[in-house]
């Protein structure tokens, strides 16, 4: 009976670790992203290594917003990461993506700059090289 309890506990632990973080976002080719989400209306570029450094300051997600041409980036629990002096309210809407997908985009895109883009209907995309990350989740209402 003791072995069975240990096995059940191990299965529960593995399941909770596996499902503790949902992967948010999907990487497309630039052509696919333009076809699905339409043209870029506003774009703000930052160095890829700077965004990669921001991924190391959070655990699960980065959140993005472009307002009046200004980019704001938050980490988990809506902690302001960029620019550090930015002030936000709980009602400010951001789109968040998994850190793991952002890091993959930076690696696969292999460009020294990354573009955070605003498209129709408030859609945020992130482009590096020939790849674009989309399907971010709105926060609020769906904050992690």
């Amino acid at each position: 009976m003791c072995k069975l309890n240990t096995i059940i506990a191990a299965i529960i632990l593995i399941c909770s670790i596996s499902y503790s973080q949902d992967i948010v976002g999907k990487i497309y080719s630039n052509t696919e992203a333009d076809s699905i989400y339409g043209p870029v209306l506003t774009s703000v570029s930052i160095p890829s290594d700077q965004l990669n450094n921001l991924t190391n300051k959070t655990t699960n997600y980065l959140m993005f917003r472009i307002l009046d041409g200004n980019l704001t980036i938050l980490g988990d629990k809506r902690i302001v990461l960029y620019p550090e002096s930015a002030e936000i309210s709980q009602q400010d809407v951001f789109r968040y993506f998994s850190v793991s997908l952002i890091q993959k985009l930076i690696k696969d895109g292999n460009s020294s700059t990354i573009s955070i883009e605003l498209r129709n209907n408030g859609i945020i995309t992130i482009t590096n090289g020939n790849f674009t990350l989309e399907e971010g989740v709105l926060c609020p209402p769906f904050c992690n």
Side-chain angles (χ1 to χ4, degrees):
M1 186 66 158
C2 187
K3 282 186 175 184
L4 181 60
N5 287 342
T6 304
I7 292 169
I8 291 171
I11 290 170
I12 291 170
L13 178 63
I14 289 168
C15 289
S16 66
I17 291 170
S18 298
Y19 296 105
S20 63
Q21 177 195 353
D22 293 328
I23 300 298
V24 177
K26 182 176 177 183
I27 297 175
Y28 295 92
S29 71
N30 293 351
T31 305
E32 285 178 301
D34 289 344
S35 173
I36 296 168
Y37 300 105
V40 173
L41 304 175
T42 303
S43 178
V44 178
S45 295
I46 64 172
S48 294
D49 60 347
Q50 184 177 11
L51 185 60
N52 196 50
N53 288 339
L54 293 178
T55 66
N56 296 323
K57 293 184 176 186
T58 191
T59 303
N60 300 311
Y61 306 103
L62 282 180
M63 304 181 195
F64 300 85
R65 177 181 75 165
I66 297 175
L67 183 63
D68 299 327
N70 297 308
L71 174 65
T72 305
I73 303 173
L74 311 178
D76 294 338
K77 300 181 183 174
R78 294 177 60 97
I79 295 172
V80 175
L81 299 177
Y82 177 88
E84 291 178 3
S85 61
E87 293 183 20
I88 62 161
S89 74
Q90 291 302 314
Q91 294 77 31
D92 291 339
V93 178
F94 286 77
R95 286 198 184 257
Y96 67 89
F97 301 88
S98 293
V99 164
S100 60
L101 285 180
I102 295 168
Q103 291 169 334
K104 179 175 175 37
L105 177 73
I106 293 168
K107 181 179 178 245
D108 293 350
N110 197 31
S111 175
S112 62
T113 60
I114 196 159
S115 297
I116 315 305
E117 305 157 334
L118 183 61
R119 298 180 189 237
N120 286 324
N121 301 317
I123 292 174
I124 296 278
T125 56
I126 305 171
T127 296
N128 187 290
N130 294 319
F131 301 100
T132 298
L133 176 62
E134 216 302 322
E135 296 187 17
V137 174
L138 291 174
C139 172
F142 306 106
C143 298
N144 271 331

